[in-house]
Amino acid sequence: MSNKTTTNLDELIEQERRRATARIAKLKRAAAAERRRIDGKVIDLLRDQNSDLYDRLSQEASEALAAEKAKRSRRAKKAALSVGAVNDGTASQTVDPEHEEAAPWNG
């Protein structure tokens, strides 16, 4: 009987943990949504009350995002090149079409 009670208690505890986890996640989503609404209102107020500052900050944000994108692109290209060189154990070679010599096919 004791073992059955313990098992039942463990199941009830697990159910309550799941419920608490779900409530916490819901509260976090609600807080994030409220933060986005507040941020949106701050942006509207900034745009209306201090358009010069808004324009300058918008430009800075745009440039920062472009720089981050370029950095990710460079990193991805570098990773792709290093994976390509290691992929089959041989280094890949680039051929300059102007200096490429036609070699006979050994078929």
Side-chain angles (χ1 to χ4, degrees):
M1 185 81 160
S2 176
N3 192 20
K4 185 176 181 182
T5 303
T6 304
T7 303
N8 190 31
L9 271 174
D10 289 342
E11 289 175 10
L12 290 173
I13 290 169
E14 185 57 34
Q15 286 176 356
E16 287 303 316
R17 282 190 179 133
R18 283 193 301 270
R19 285 185 190 138
T21 300
R23 281 193 305 269
I24 290 169
K26 183 178 177 181
L27 290 170
K28 285 181 178 182
R29 286 190 303 271
E34 179 67 12
R35 181 79 253 162
R36 286 190 300 274
R37 284 191 295 276
I38 291 170
D39 288 348
K41 189 62 177 172
V42 167
I43 289 169
D44 291 342
L45 290 169
L46 179 61
R47 187 179 320 146
D48 293 342
Q49 295 178 8
N50 197 339
S51 61
D52 291 339
L53 178 59
Y54 173 81
D55 291 340
R56 184 175 59 84
L57 292 175
S58 293
Q59 183 64 34
E60 286 180 28
S62 178
E63 290 168 359
L65 290 173
E68 290 172 10
K69 183 178 178 182
K71 184 177 179 182
R72 283 192 310 272
S73 178
R74 283 191 305 271
R75 222 180 297 138
K77 287 178 184 177
K78 183 178 178 182
L81 288 175
S82 65
V83 167
V86 176
N87 194 16
D88 62 359
T90 61
S92 61
Q93 295 180 348
T94 58
V95 177
D96 183 0
E98 288 184 13
H99 297 96
E100 180 180 6
E101 296 178 16
W105 184 62
N106 292 334

